[in-house]
Amino acid sequence: MTSTEPQTEPQAAPRAADPRPLTLVGARLGAGARPADVRIEHGRITVVGTDLPAAPGERRVDLDGRTVLPGLWDAHVHLTQWAGLRRRTDLSGTRSAREAVEAVRAAQQGLPVGELFAGYGFRDGLWPDVPHKGLLDAVAPDRPVALLSADLHAVWLNSACLALLGRAEHPTGLLREHDCMAAVADLPEAPAATADRWAAEACAAAAARGVTGITDFEYADNAADWTRRAATAPPAVRVEAAVYPHWLPAAIDRGLRTGDVLPGTGGRVRFGPLKLITDGSLNTRTAWCHQPYPGLEDTPDAYGIEQIPYEQLVTLMRQASAHGIEAAVHAIGDRANTAALDAFAAVRCKGRIEHAQLLDPADLPRFAALGVTAGVQPAHALDDRDVADRHWHGRTAHAFPYAELLAAGARLELGSDAPVSPLDPWLGIAAAVSRTGDERPSWHPEQELTTAAALVAAARGRRLLRVGDTADLAVVDTDPLTADVRTLREMPVHATLLGGEWTYGPY
C-alpha cells in the first residue's frame, strides 16, 4: 500500500534522564546575535551568558553557532488518526472521484483478500464528479474500502464497507458530519498495543521537527489513552489531552481540571480543554455562515450546519467552566464564530476557538476583549484557497485572517489539525509567512505574518529563552529570521530537548 510513513523512524521514546547539568555552548539566540551559552539544570534554564565556566560534572555540547529556539507546539492534532494515517494511502493529489478510484485500484494490489483498504486526504469540493459507492465497487467489489476526506468531515465507503458497518442501504456511500464520525468510529481498529506503538513513533517524528508539545483533539477517551501510553514509555512530546462531551461527566467526577498533570504520566501529560464542535467544514460546505453557499440557496443546509444549538453550547461551556475545564470550540464559518464568541461572552470563561477560518470583521476585536485564543492552522489556507474562492466568493478578505487577528490584539496559536495537514510546525510557519504553497503569488498577502510573529504563535507565546523557563528547546541549523520561505518549510532541525533531555538529535 502507498504510504507517507518515513523509511527510517526517529527514536520512539526519549532517553533516560541525566541528572547532570547541561551547558549548550556557542548557541545563537536570534538574528545577528553573538553566540551565547545556555545552562540547564533540573529541567530548567538557569543561566544565559557568554563564556560560562564549566560546572562540576556538567555535560557540555558545542552547538557551533546553531540557533536555539523555544520548543514548538502543535496546538491541534488528532494524534491516533495521524499515527494510523501515516500508514495509509494518500489521496490528497487526486483531482476527481475517478482519479481517486484509480489510485485505490493501484494501491490495493498485494493486500490480503478481504482486508480493509484505508485511504485519506481527498478533497471533493472542486471535483467535477461526485464520489459514489458504485465507483469504488467497480475496483473493489469484495474488499471493504474507507476513504476519509482531508478535513475529516466526510468518509467515502464502498458497498462492502457499508455492509460491514450495518449501513448497506445507504444510497451513495458518501457520509458527512455526524454520520461520517459515527462510521469512522465503527471501523475496525488496530489493537491498542499497535496503536500505542504508532502513537509513540508519531511523537518521536514530531520531536524530530522541533516539536515539544501537542494538544490532542482525538475523538476518544484521551485521558485514559495517554495515561496508558505514558505508563509504557513517556511520550517524546508533552501532551494536553482534550475531552469531548461524552467523557465530560467522568472527568468532572474525577475532579480533573484543564492543566492538571494526569497521574502516572511522569508529568508529560496534562488534562486539556473540552472540545465542542459548532459547525462543519468548508470543503463539505457545512461550515455555518452568514451567507448561503452558491448553488445551495434553496436547500435546507444553504448556510451550512449548526452542529450544537447555541443554548446547548452555553450549557456545556458553563458546566465545564464551573469545574475548572476550559472550552475549545470548533468554529469555521463566520456565523459559527459569532455564535462561539457570543457563548464565551455569556459564560465569561477562558478558552479558545479552533480554526476561526472565516470571520465577520466586527468579531475580530472580540477575541482579545474576551481573552479567547485563536487556534489556527495556516496550512489550511493554502489547501483551501481555491475552494474558498469558489464557495466564499467575495468574502475571502476575512478568511484565515491572521494579520487582522494579531492587529486586533488576539493571541494566536498554530497547529496542523493532523492528519488534515502534516504534523510539522515548519509547514505552518511557512504558510503563515508566505500565504502560498506553489508558484502562485500570496493569497491575500495583507494577512501574512512576519516570521517572528509566526514563531511566537508556534511556540505558545514564548519569544525568548529566559532564566527559569522549562528547557523545552529546538536547535536548528538555520536562523529562521533570516531564512527564505523554502528553507522555513524544510527547516533542518538539529536537535530537540524536553525538560533538558534530548528527545531528538545526535547527543
Side-chain angles (χ1 to χ4, degrees), residues 343-368:
F344 276 109
V347 179
R348 293 291 173 181
C349 64
K350 293 182 178 180
R352 50 197 297 118
I353 288 179
E354 295 300 323
H355 308 305
Q357 288 187 1
L358 182 66
L359 295 178
D360 185 323
D363 284 333
L364 289 165
R366 300 179 70 196
F367 283 83

Side-chain angles (χ1 to χ4, degrees), residues 74-78 153 215-217 240 242 244 273-280 327-333 336-337 340-341 344 351-359 367 372-377 380 402 411-417 460:
D74 192 313
H76 193 123
V77 174
H78 303 268
H153 286 253
T215 302
D216 188 7
F217 286 106
E240 287 187 351
Y244 282 78
L274 170 67
K275 178 70 178 294
L276 298 166
I277 301 176
T278 65
D279 69 342
V329 182
H330 164 116
I332 288 182
N337 278 279
L341 290 165
F344 276 109
R352 50 197 297 118
I353 288 179
E354 295 300 323
H355 308 305
Q357 288 187 1
L358 182 66
L359 295 178
F367 283 83
V372 175
T373 296
V376 299
Q377 301 77 39
H380 293 1
Y402 306 144
R411 175 187 172 94
L412 295 186
E413 291 187 4
L414 304 191
S416 65
D417 202 9
R460 282 197 142 184

Side-chain angles (χ1 to χ4, degrees), residues 23-38 48-49 60-70 426 465 473-482 491-497 502 504-507:
T23 300
L24 308 178
V25 179
R28 295 189 185 276
L29 308 182
R34 296 178 58 190
D37 302 336
V38 179
V48 178
R60 289 178 78 84
V61 172
D62 187 352
L63 294 181
D64 195 25
R66 293 183 174 87
T67 298
V68 180
L69 305 167
W426 297 103
L465 272 59
L473 306 173
V475 183
V476 295
D477 288 338
T478 302
D479 186 340
L481 296 181
T482 62
M491 179 60 65
V493 175
H494 179 71
T496 308
L497 294 113
W502 304 106
Y504 171 73
Y507 304 110

Side-chain angles (χ1 to χ4, degrees), residues 6 9-11 72-74 77 79 82 86 199-214 236-238 422-426 474 493 495-496 503-504:
E9 287 285 355
Q11 63 194 63
L72 304 179
W73 269 75
D74 192 313
V77 174
L79 198 283
W82 167 242
R86 293 170 74 232
E201 292 170 355
C203 288
R209 300 303 293 146
V211 174
T212 56
I214 64 170
V237 299
R238 302 191 191 279
L423 202 173
D424 184 340
W426 297 103
V493 175
T496 308
T503 53
Y504 171 73

Side-chain angles (χ1 to χ4, degrees), residues 363-456:
D363 284 333
L364 289 165
R366 300 179 70 196
F367 283 83
L370 295 169
V372 175
T373 296
V376 299
Q377 301 77 39
H380 293 1
L382 311 189
D383 294 335
D384 290 347
R385 63 184 290 178
D386 295 319
V387 72
D389 281 339
R390 174 180 294 186
H391 298 298
W392 288 344
H393 181 70
R395 292 175 283 165
T396 55
H398 303 291
F400 308 90
Y402 306 144
E404 283 187 312
L405 281 165
L406 271 189
R411 175 187 172 94
L412 295 186
E413 291 187 4
L414 304 191
S416 65
D417 202 9
V420 180
S421 59
L423 202 173
D424 184 340
W426 297 103
L427 299 179
I429 291 167
V433 169
S434 69
R435 302 278 293 197
T436 186
D438 51 33
E439 72 284 352
R440 291 180 292 179
S442 174
W443 187 60
H444 291 289
E446 71 277 6
Q447 298 294 355
E448 293 174 359
L449 297 183
T450 65
T451 303
L455 283 169
V456 170

